[in-house]
């Protein structure tokens, strides 16, 4: 089991984490981060900073990081969709089957992304014999992600591993008993991802996650739209309790490499190397053009992979803290 975890904690874990972060970090665009619901409007205070282990990123002074249970609350989506007329739906249900201009579609997504202050959601990846289920919280401002807190449950052929990822204060931390055991940090709660670490797994992760927050934004799906060969309105769709408009986006992967940055671009470059030319993505948007759900099907190297992002709440109080120094392995 330990050998399996070591292998998972290397390139495989790095790939899973970065792919998920790439999707999540840019999902706010319609709120792609694992699909969504939009809660009643709140007025969060500016992002907080602290020199100790207190809250480093928060949408409100009193907010506390949502628990795994609280992070998944589909019922919240029923009242979260905003009917604002300032940013109306790109098309109406009556236009189902009609082609949509990719540039105009991207503009709508970008404007919606810029208004997002936080999002909470879920992610599911299925690629036999591996599957991933997780939940996450993100804090954003002006279309930029400032902090991420994520828990993933990875099943590889019946072997299950739980991994936690926290990116805050410009640094990335990994948690989870099995991963910490694999890197020799059983007495700690977190391991710092460091390019100078004596541990090869953490060094590899540092390379994969390098500059994530500097490039992570809420507009990955805007990038998809700009690189799209076609965007087709498929009409109204109900995601959970949220009424959405569904769009099929046929992404030109090579064009996406040119239009995207950071981790999102690296993900697209990986697809190009694997010989993938087009990436079919289905986006379900709420009335404010925020992403409620993204479904991606990828076939490469004889492997089929399905990824579903769902945002269950927008602009809800979220607090993401820098782990206490005594709890962090830095070797």
């Amino acid at each position: 089991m330990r050998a399996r975890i070591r292998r998972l904690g290397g390139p495989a874990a790095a790939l899973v984490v970065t792919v998920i972060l790439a999707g999540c970090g840019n999902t706010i665009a319609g709120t792609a981060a694992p699909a969504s619901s939009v809660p009643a409007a709140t007025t969060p205070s500016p992002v907080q900073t602290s020199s100790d282990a207190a809250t480093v990123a928060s949408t409100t002074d009193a907010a506390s990081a949502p628990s795994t249970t609280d992070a998944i609350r589909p019922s919240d989506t029923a009242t979260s969709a905003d009917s604002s007329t300032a940013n109306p739906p790109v098309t109406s249900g009556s236009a189902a089957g009609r082609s949509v201009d990719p540039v105009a579609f991207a503009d709508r997504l970008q404007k919606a992304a810029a208004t997002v202050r936080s999002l909470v959601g879920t992610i599911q990846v299925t690629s036999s014999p591996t599957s991933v289920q997780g939940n996450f919280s993100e804090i954003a401002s002006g279309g930029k992600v400032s902090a991420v807190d994520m828990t993933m449950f990875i099943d590889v052929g019946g072997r299950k591993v739980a991994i936690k990822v926290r990116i805050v204060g410009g640094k990335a931390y990994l948690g989870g008993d099995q991963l910490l055991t694999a890197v020799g940090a059983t007495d700690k709660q977190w391991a710092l991802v460091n390019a100078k670490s004596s541990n090869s797994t953490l060094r590899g992760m540092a390379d994969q996650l390098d500059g994530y927050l500097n490039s992570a934004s809420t507009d990955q799906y805007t990038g998809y739209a700009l690189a799209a060969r076609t965007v087709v309105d498929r009409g109204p769709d109900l995601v959970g309790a949220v009424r959405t408009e569904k769009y099929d986006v046929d992404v030109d992967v090579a064009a996406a490499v040119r239009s995207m940055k950071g981790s999102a671009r690296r993900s697209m470059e990986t697809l190009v190397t694997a010989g993938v030319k087009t990436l079919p993505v289905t986006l379900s948007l709420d009335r404010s053009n925020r992403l409620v759900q993204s479904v991606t099907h990828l076939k490469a190297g004889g492997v089929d992979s399905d990824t579903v992002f769902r945002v269950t709440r927008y602009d809800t109080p979220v607090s993401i803290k820098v782990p206490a120094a005594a709890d962090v392995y830095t070797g």
Side-chain angles (χ1 to χ4, degrees), residues 109-259:
L109 291 176
Q110 191 168 46
K111 288 179 178 178
T115 68
V116 174
R117 298 181 294 266
S118 72
L119 63 158
V120 175
T122 64
I123 182 170
Q124 184 173 17
V125 181
T126 303
S127 180
S128 181
T130 302
S131 66
V132 179
Q133 291 188 344
N135 55 69
F136 68 91
S137 299
E138 294 184 7
I139 295 174
S141 177
K144 294 290 292 183
V145 175
S146 61
V148 179
D149 197 23
M150 180 184 301
T151 299
M152 295 175 289
F153 301 93
I154 306 172
D155 188 324
V156 183
R159 301 284 186 172
K160 298 182 179 180
V161 180
I163 295 179
K164 296 180 180 180
V165 180
R166 183 174 296 181
I167 301 180
V168 62
K171 297 181 179 180
Y173 305 85
L174 300 179
D177 292 345
Q178 291 149 304
L179 186 142
L180 291 173
T181 296
V183 302
T186 55
D187 59 335
K188 302 294 183 179
Q189 295 183 31
W190 297 94
L192 176 67
V193 176
N194 186 348
K196 297 182 180 180
S197 174
S198 60
N199 185 276
S200 59
T201 293
L202 297 178
R203 287 200 306 273
M205 290 295 291
D207 180 62
Q208 294 290 331
L209 297 175
D210 181 43
Y212 172 74
L213 280 183
N214 291 328
S215 62
S217 64
T218 59
D219 63 358
Q220 173 175 321
Y221 289 87
T222 298
Y224 280 175
L226 289 174
R229 293 180 175 178
T230 60
V231 177
V232 179
D233 177 9
R234 293 304 182 189
D237 187 35
L238 192 64
V239 178
V242 182
R243 293 180 180 179
T244 70
E245 190 79 5
K246 184 166 68 174
Y247 300 88
D248 283 343
V249 181
D250 190 21
V251 181
D252 183 322
V253 177
V257 170
R258 296 190 293 271
S259 66

Side-chain angles (χ1 to χ4, degrees), residues 9-49:
L15 181 60
V16 169
V17 172
T18 51
V19 168
I20 290 177
L21 287 176
C24 201
N26 300 312
T27 51
I28 302 181
T31 281
S36 77
S37 65
V38 178
T42 59
T43 307
S45 58
V47 172
Q48 304 288 311
T49 59

